[in-house]
Amino acid sequence: MGSEMQPEVRSTPVSIVIADDHGLVRQGLRSMLANEGDLEVVGEAEDGREVIELCSRLRPQLVLMDVRMP
């Protein structure tokens, strides 16, 4: 039998900012991601200016963003 690769274990969760102009979408994404122990939503934005400000301040590792928002 070959050796199986073990999943990477992170000591700190991946930080995420959610950016969408629809509050219900942001809420749904946050709810889905809340069950993942290795992910942490650190902020939400409802427009492009807000996401730029949040990313500058919070320095997330990942941004989930609607590409068709103001």
Side-chain angles (χ1 to χ4, degrees), residues 37-59:
D38 56 347
L39 303 174
E40 178 185 13
V41 177
V42 295
E44 295 182 22
E46 63 182 32
D47 61 40
R49 289 179 193 246
E50 189 176 5
V51 76
I52 290 169
E53 186 276 322
L54 278 177
C55 288
S56 293
R57 186 168 41 91
L58 300 174
R59 310 291 292 175

Side-chain angles (χ1 to χ4, degrees), residues 1 16-17 23 26 31 35 40 42 50 52 54 58 60 64:
M1 293 190 173
I16 300 172
V17 165
R26 291 192 315 271
S31 293
N35 296 324
E40 178 185 13
V42 295
E50 189 176 5
I52 290 169
L54 278 177
L58 300 174
L64 295 178

Side-chain angles (χ1 to χ4, degrees), residues 3-35:
S3 63
E4 293 183 31
M5 293 185 65
Q6 296 295 322
E8 181 181 341
V9 177
R10 295 183 56 89
S11 60
T12 59
V14 174
S15 58
I16 300 172
V17 165
I18 298 171
D20 196 293
D21 54 334
H22 294 93
L24 193 56
V25 172
R26 291 192 315 271
Q27 181 182 8
L29 287 169
R30 181 182 278 277
S31 293
M32 289 187 327
L33 296 171
N35 296 324

